Amino acid sequence: MTHARFQNFEALKPNSAERQFWDALRRAFENDECIAFFKYPIFHRNGDAQKIPDVIFLHRRLGLWVFECKGCRINNIASIEGAIWSMANWHREQEMPTQQAEDGMFAIRARFEERRETRGLLSFHYRVALPGISQAEWQERGWHDHPCTRGVVLIKDDLRPAAMRAHLEAAMAARPQTPLDDQQWAVLCANLSGTLPRPLPRSIPTGTPAQSPVRVINEIEGRIKALDETQLNIAFRIPEGPQRIRGLAGTGKTVLFCKRIAKIHAIHPEWSVAFVFFTRSLYDQVLSLIRTYYADIVRDPDAEPDWSKVQILHAWGGRDRQGFYRNLALRSGQRALSVNDVESDLGRRASPAEAFEYVCDRLEESAPSIPVLFDAIAIDEGQDLPPSFYRLALASLAEPSRLYWAYDEAQGLGTLVVPRPQAIFGSHSDGSPVVDLGGNLLPDGSRTGPNYPSGARKAESMARCYRTPRMLLMAAHAVNMGLLREEGALQGPSNQTDWERIGYQIEAGDFSAASVSAGREVTISRPDTSSPHPIDASDFALRAALGCPLSINTFESDADELDWIATQIANDLKQGLDPWDLMVTGPTGPRESDYFRDLQHRLHALDVSSVIAGVDTSKDVFRRDGAVTISTIFRAKGNEAAKVYACRFQCATRPLAFRDEIEIHKRNEAFVALTRARVWCVVTGIEVLSPIFDELRAVVEQSPTLTFPAFNRSTLRRVNDEEIEESGTAGSQRGGPHP
């Protein structure tokens, strides 16, 4: 059931006609099944956003309404002749509000009628709202009975809740709304508010068992995932300055930034915009999403963005692919450094994150100036990028510096630095931060709120995880933070508010110093509102076929583990799973390339085709039709599969000396592996080499809650509290030597 949702894409000015009408509409229908949008852009097929009604209102029983609001007083209207209102002492000589409202109605109706699944389901209506004019004033002029205004104008008296409901209900007599079932209503809401992507329905062969895993996947993929309020804000707003998105794995950060870039390009085709990411295998996915969303926005399935204005850039780039760093270095008159240059300078091997930080640092130091190249930049996977990269990106932007970045600190595979504004961008000479997400400092010393004038928030936090089932996400956090680690937690939020920000409830205990010193425990859970995955719903019908989302299987040797994984994958395919449903990845360990080749040989012996991403494919390609994907954790990040084999999990607690790693790095890799799974994650490894398997078993046993020893900031290796992030008073790593 969809309850009332009121979404404004632009700021509502206090005491304005739009604000008065918006508040009246909310009061009248706040308990109904409805959605309202303020300043919702409707594009024509040529891509022009000429129709932006003040308010679009979709109601399950009352149909779809378009409202235009005017703040004029009765003396501002000199005369009404047909659709033309002659105005006096007004900012325009003429207004055509009824025509505006009607045009908006026809435009939005075209959007619904051109799609087969929504065609014929809605009744459509339009009205003009005049909150500054009373019933007596309107009737005195005789306009209540004017042929072009009769019945389609709401004045101040009509905006009382009972009167507004009565007016809309009465309209149903002339143009009744067909009753909508739950599926039809969900489709209509999704058409208006947008959705997360879902695959095309797969065909299930006749005779497929009722409890087949294929049926589980089909049921999950068939669910419509309408955007929630936070996602709508991110996808449809264009903040007029820097914005940070902090979100869990599976909350849709990549998709939402693709939607935003597509909308920016549709509204401002003259702008130069860039979408930047760190994992090269994301290139085709991002390209496809932006192309799809742009075509959807301009309502032309064959529309193609102007790729000279929309650039999709790997953060580094190479000779075979454009990249943000490489392009910026060349445009700055500097030589673009390669990995070989870095390792030659350092005299040793470097991780991808370390090497990229080195080249960005050198460019920032050596470039005499940074050219302005873009009007907006969206950075995905921000947790993998060094501080100097952010400063370079900011310098390459035209005012007002529309730099948007998204990150999940748990997925940082190389650097443990997370993009905290003041620590990265620094301060002006007067001490004010260069990038301030907490509000603006005013001349009198006071501060504005954390929103831009348009209403867009300067920082968003996303806690609703749509991709990863509850048990897998809780297991991933437990491993990532070391919550069940014998020596104590390594990182994580240390107060109730910050746990709630990432979607958890504190069921028992606290993080006080007294609790820590007394060795007390904390119990957490994830409510349904934070974990809306279909398999976590109480009414999920295929629970027997689903089984447990997380399974742990341990072995005495690599050979035993490899034999078992190959056999299981062959069985998965025999049960009807597609090779695209499967992925093998895991924390990085010694002889990784040899291990993957050994697995590939075993799969080949069982007539199973496979590819090692970036080895058997180009660096930009992650999958190949008809083949199971085997991938390093660095290439797997940003990708997903219905069933993931997280192999060699003992490496989750075993840092690699030649990479200068610590245990947090490895546990972050484990987090990424677990959260690649949309349904099932099969963890494998050698039991005697790591306690990580006992930690995972404890998560399964405790599900759906998780209990662990209390901790606080002083006991952690790395603090994840939002308040520290905002203040810029602490770095991203805390504490002494790694415990």
Side-chain angles (χ1 to χ4, degrees):
M1 180 177 180
T2 303
H3 297 287
R5 188 164 74 189
F6 288 76
Q7 186 80 30
N8 57 305
F9 292 134
E10 293 183 13
L12 287 150
K13 298 178 181 178
N15 302 318
S16 64
E18 292 93 343
R19 165 63 77 178
Q20 293 175 56
F21 176 75
W22 184 258
D23 291 344
L25 189 69
R26 185 192 292 270
R27 287 193 296 269
F29 296 101
E30 61 186 354
N31 296 316
D32 289 33
E33 285 189 272
C34 59
I35 301 176
F37 292 99
F38 177 69
K39 296 298 184 183
Y40 185 101
I42 306 171
F43 288 81
H44 290 303
R45 284 191 176 275
N46 64 3
D48 293 336
Q50 294 179 345
K51 299 293 181 291
I52 306 182
D54 287 335
V55 176
I56 290 177
F57 180 60
L58 175 64
H59 192 285
R60 184 160 179 171
R61 289 190 305 101
L62 303 176
L64 190 142
W65 295 73
V66 172
F67 298 98
E68 285 293 333
C69 306
K70 299 298 177 185
C72 53
R73 305 290 181 175
I74 193 68
N75 291 332
N76 294 130
I77 307 174
S79 65
I80 298 177
E81 297 182 12
I84 300 175
W85 296 18
S86 297
M87 309 299 290
N89 300 317
W90 189 246
H91 52 273
R92 277 191 292 269
E93 292 184 358
Q94 293 182 339
E95 292 279 7
M96 301 178 65
T98 56
Q99 187 69 54
Q100 279 182 275
E102 187 177 28
D103 287 350
M105 181 197 73
F106 282 120
I108 194 67
R109 186 171 76 174
R111 178 186 176 108
F112 281 92
E113 294 297 313
E114 69 190 14
R115 303 194 181 200
R116 180 173 50 83
E117 66 271 21
T118 56
R119 189 177 303 142
L121 293 181
L122 285 174
S123 62
F124 294 87
H125 315 261
Y126 69 92
R127 293 292 185 270
V128 174
L130 304 174
I133 298 177
S134 69
Q135 183 73 48
E137 291 172 327
W138 192 248
Q139 289 184 347
E140 184 181 351
R141 297 292 183 93
W143 289 330
H144 67 290
D145 202 35
H146 191 284
C148 292
T149 60
R150 186 188 305 127
V152 296
V153 175
L154 300 174
I155 45 76
K156 182 177 181 180
D157 306 65
D158 295 322
L159 302 188
R160 298 190 303 271
M164 187 180 293
R165 291 187 70 92
H167 184 98
L168 269 63
E169 295 275 5
M172 299 303 295
R175 200 176 301 168
Q177 169 62 48
T178 304
L180 301 169
D181 61 32
D182 290 346
Q183 179 66 17
Q184 290 171 328
W185 175 242
V187 169
L188 290 168
C189 291
N191 183 292
L192 195 59
S193 62
T195 63
L196 293 173
R198 56 176 178 153
L200 295 173
R202 63 179 72 197
S203 59
I204 299 180
T206 304
T208 300
Q211 301 304 321
S212 167
V214 178
R215 294 191 183 277
V216 174
I217 295 173
N218 207 47
E219 170 68 17
I220 293 169
E221 292 180 344
R223 303 282 184 103
I224 295 173
K225 306 177 186 71
L227 301 184
D228 62 35
E229 184 175 350
T230 300
Q231 291 174 322
L232 277 167
N233 280 328
I234 295 168
F236 288 100
R237 288 187 184 275
I238 305 174
E240 55 271 43
Q243 183 190 49
R244 183 204 65 208
I245 310 298
R246 184 184 188 185
L248 299 180
T251 50
K253 300 183 293 297
T254 302
V255 169
L256 298 175
F257 267 0
C258 287
K259 282 179 175 285
R260 176 179 288 181
I261 290 295
K263 180 185 177 182
I264 288 174
H265 185 51
I267 294 177
H268 302 288
E270 75 282 4
W271 286 10
S272 292
V273 298
F275 187 108
V276 183
F277 53 93
F278 193 71
T279 304
R280 284 193 62 165
S281 58
L282 284 180
Y283 185 86
D284 286 341
Q285 177 185 337
V286 171
L287 183 78
S288 176
L289 285 171
I290 291 176
R291 178 187 286 124
T292 298
Y293 292 138
Y294 177 76
D296 183 62
I297 287 172
V298 302
R299 296 171 52 217
D300 179 356
D302 298 320
E304 188 81 12
D306 179 353
W307 296 114
S308 69
K309 293 293 186 180
V310 180
Q311 297 188 49
I312 302 171
L313 301 170
H314 179 252
W316 190 327
R319 297 186 184 281
D320 61 335
R321 176 70 72 190
Q322 284 193 85
F324 188 90
Y325 159 78
R326 180 177 173 79
N327 289 1
L328 191 61
L330 296 176
R331 293 289 296 273
S332 302
Q334 305 297 302
R335 187 171 72 88
L337 301 179
S338 67
V339 174
N340 290 337
D341 293 324
V342 174
E343 294 184 346
S344 175
D345 288 354
L346 295 178
R348 58 177 173 81
R349 292 176 62 184
S351 69
E354 182 184 18
F356 189 57
E357 182 170 14
Y358 181 89
V359 301
C360 289
D361 289 350
R362 297 293 81 76
L363 177 58
E364 187 178 34
E365 293 169 1
S366 61
S369 64
I370 300 298
V372 173
L373 302 177
F374 300 103
D375 296 286
I377 298 173
I379 299 173
D380 197 16
E381 306 183 302
Q383 71 280 348
D384 291 322
L385 300 170
S388 52
F389 177 86
Y390 283 87
R391 294 190 292 270
L392 291 169
L394 188 70
S396 72
L397 278 164
E399 291 293 336
S401 300
R402 299 178 188 87
L403 180 66
Y404 314 133
W405 69 93
Y407 78 95
D408 175 1
E409 61 193 28
Q411 294 192 72
L413 298 187
T415 178
L416 295 182
V417 176
V418 296
R420 289 173 173 142
Q422 194 160 351
I424 288 176
F425 299 106
S427 302
H428 295 296
S429 58
D430 63 357
S432 62
V434 173
V435 172
D436 184 3
L437 302 185
N440 295 320
L441 191 65
L442 300 178
D444 63 1
S446 63
R447 299 176 72 85
T448 65
N451 289 8
Y452 287 107
S454 67
R457 289 182 59 82
K458 296 181 179 180
E460 293 277 10
S461 184
M462 303 175 66
R464 291 170 62 90
C465 183
Y466 292 87
R467 179 181 69 215
T468 308
R470 178 188 285 118
M471 181 185 289
L472 294 185
L473 185 60
M474 293 182 74
H477 274 131
V479 168
N480 168 254
M481 298 177 189
L483 300 180
L484 302 175
R485 182 174 174 267
E486 186 175 346
E487 300 88 347
L490 289 166
Q491 60 179 331
S494 61
N495 62 76
Q496 179 173 330
T497 299
D498 285 300
W499 277 105
E500 290 172 350
R501 279 197 178 105
I502 60 173
Y504 286 92
Q505 289 181 173
I506 306 295
E507 302 291 346
D510 59 52
F511 296 90
S512 65
S515 292
V516 175
S517 61
R520 298 191 187 108
E521 293 184 324
V522 176
T523 298
I524 61 174
S525 66
R526 284 190 71 80
D528 291 344
T529 52
S530 299
S531 286
H533 195 284
I535 73 168
D536 293 321
S538 58
D539 61 350
F540 186 69
L542 298 173
R543 199 154 301 282
L546 171 70
C548 184
L550 176 61
S551 59
I552 301 104
N553 303 269
T554 58
F555 307 90
E556 294 183 357
S557 68
D558 283 351
D560 292 343
E561 180 184 20
L562 288 163
D563 288 339
W564 187 86
I565 292 174
T567 301
Q568 292 301 307
I569 288 175
N571 289 338
D572 290 336
L573 298 175
K574 289 176 182 177
Q575 292 185 65
L577 269 64
D578 189 271
W580 277 58
D581 294 326
L582 305 172
M583 181 199 303
V584 181
T585 189
T588 303
R591 298 182 56 254
E592 184 174 60
S593 59
D594 293 338
Y595 181 93
F596 285 163
R597 281 298 183 199
D598 288 346
L599 176 58
Q600 196 169 40
H601 293 326
R602 284 167 167 80
L603 289 171
H604 180 73
L606 296 171
D607 294 325
V608 174
S609 178
S610 65
V611 293
I612 300 175
V615 177
D616 302 326
T617 67
S618 73
K619 292 180 180 180
D620 299 327
V621 174
F622 188 72
R623 287 186 170 91
R624 184 181 295 162
D625 286 340
V628 173
T629 297
I630 304 169
S631 173
T632 66
I633 199 66
F634 292 94
R635 294 195 183 280
K637 190 168 59 63
N639 293 283
E640 60 189 62
K643 188 172 187 178
V644 171
Y645 286 87
C647 63
R648 300 214 300 173
F649 224 69
Q650 71 273 6
C651 297
T653 57
R654 298 163 65 86
L656 294 172
F658 69 85
R659 282 190 172 170
D660 195 27
E661 292 180 324
I662 58 175
E663 189 174 340
I664 292 178
H665 289 107
K666 307 312 295 182
R667 286 180 175 267
N668 284 4
E669 291 180 9
F671 178 94
V672 173
L674 290 164
T675 54
R676 296 311 90 204
R678 294 198 307 271
V679 189
W680 302 278
C681 187
V682 181
V683 173
T684 65
I686 299 177
E687 179 88 31
V688 298
L689 295 180
S690 174
I692 199 74
F693 304 103
D694 286 336
E695 295 178 27
L696 288 170
R697 292 188 188 103
V699 173
V700 176
E701 290 167 4
Q702 292 185 34
S703 182
T705 61
L706 185 62
T707 300
F708 52 87
F711 56 83
N712 58 27
R713 294 175 184 172
S714 65
T715 67
L716 294 177
R717 180 70 175 88
R718 181 171 179 249
V719 178
N720 303 79
D721 291 349
E722 181 82 1
E723 59 195 7
I724 292 178
E725 184 171 357
E726 292 295 351
S727 68
T729 59
S732 61
Q733 298 187 45
R734 293 281 300 268
H738 181 61

